[in-house]
Amino acid sequence: MTVKLRQALQERIFKQMEATFPNEGGGFLLGTKQGAEILIEDVIQIENVFETEEQYHRYAMTPQNWMKMEDEADARHLTLVGYYHSHPNHVAIPSDYDCEHALPNFIYIITSVMEGQAADMLAWELSQDRRKFDSRRLEIL
Amino acid sequence: MANIKIPTPLRAYTDNEAQVTAEGSTVAELLQNLIQQYPDLEQHLFNEGKLRSFVNIFLDDEDVRFLDGVDTEVAADDELRIIPSIAGGLD
């Protein structure tokens, strides 16, 4: 599986993550799936609704966010292909917490933000048996 | 028979159908019937027999946790929707 992301969208994610630092930020990925490729067509910033004092290491959206975005994706003839969030001052590798709250067949893009600067971006997908995340190739267009 | 809307990532286990039907008079019975029809859904919805904490069931746009939970009664023409709560972060 290869995930393709336009540079302008990557920059938009980086700017958002740097702006929310030292807290976590995130949003949805809308795109299209064709065979073993996912092309991300849009990134939608979603407010972090976790308790404010926990946002330095936690990110959450509401179920209503999901409903609205899934309906919007349908209306735009796109697919809700994944979500992105940041790891402030930490590597872009999924945590056990990420794994426990994840679904397969969904792309998880994590941005590492070190001292306020976006430093790395990696793409992941939960294995079918839910035991681990597998790395996915991220191609910047 | 009620309609259930499946979240996008789990449609891989419902033959790519976004909307399926299931039988039952409560949310619990409907979900049980759903996983009988599509067994691969079970591990992603349930953990040790209980709904996973990040899996929400909405009945006509209302979270069943604020009704009677999985014991909430469902009428034949009701719409059920399975919604994951997206969350992430560091350990």
Side-chain angles (χ1 to χ4, degrees), chain A:
Chain A
M1 176 75 73
T2 299
V3 180
K4 296 185 171 185
L5 177 67
R6 291 193 184 88
Q7 192 171 16
L9 293 178
Q10 185 188 44
E11 285 171 7
R12 200 195 300 175
I13 293 174
F14 281 167
K15 279 185 183 168
Q16 179 196 338
M17 299 313 185
E18 289 171 356
T20 57
F21 184 89
N23 290 339
E24 294 200 10
F28 283 114
L29 305 168
L30 301 188
T32 54
K33 270 187 185 180
Q34 285 194 331
E37 282 188 359
I38 290 178
L39 173 63
I40 296 171
E41 301 273 10
D42 202 0
V43 300
I44 312 287
Q45 178 177 352
I46 303 290
E47 181 190 1
N48 188 353
V49 297
F50 223 97
E51 293 91 335
T52 307
E53 60 272 19
E54 300 292 334
Q55 287 186 9
Y56 72 94
H57 74 145
R58 286 285 182 269
Y59 175 80
M61 304 174 185
T62 67
Q64 287 78 10
N65 289 143
W66 178 285
M67 275 195 266
K68 184 168 175 247
M69 199 50 52
E70 200 164 55
D71 292 343
E72 181 179 328
D74 287 344
R76 293 172 63 183
H77 304 292
L78 294 173
T79 301
L80 190 53
V81 292
Y83 112 102
Y84 64 95
H85 74 288
S86 60
H87 280 178
N89 287 333
H90 203 273
V91 291
I93 294 175
S95 63
D96 289 343
Y97 186 87
D98 290 329
C99 195
E100 286 163 15
H101 293 80
L103 288 172
N105 316 307
F106 209 53
I107 295 299
Y108 291 75
I109 286 184
I110 302 178
T111 300
S112 167
V113 184
M114 307 302 281
E115 303 302 335
Q117 295 291 313
D120 194 14
M121 176 182 269
L122 296 173
W124 304 88
E125 188 175 0
L126 188 71
S127 64
Q128 294 293 319
D129 63 6
R130 306 190 55 83
R131 290 180 183 276
K132 62 182 174 59
F133 271 99
D134 295 318
S135 176
R136 294 293 178 243
R137 184 165 178 266
L138 180 61
E139 189 176 320
I140 306 301
L141 305 176

Side-chain angles (χ1 to χ4, degrees), chain B residues 76-87:
Chain B
D77 56 349
D78 279 343
E79 299 276 340
L80 225 66
R81 191 162 176 177
I82 300 172
I83 305 286
S85 282
I86 286 285

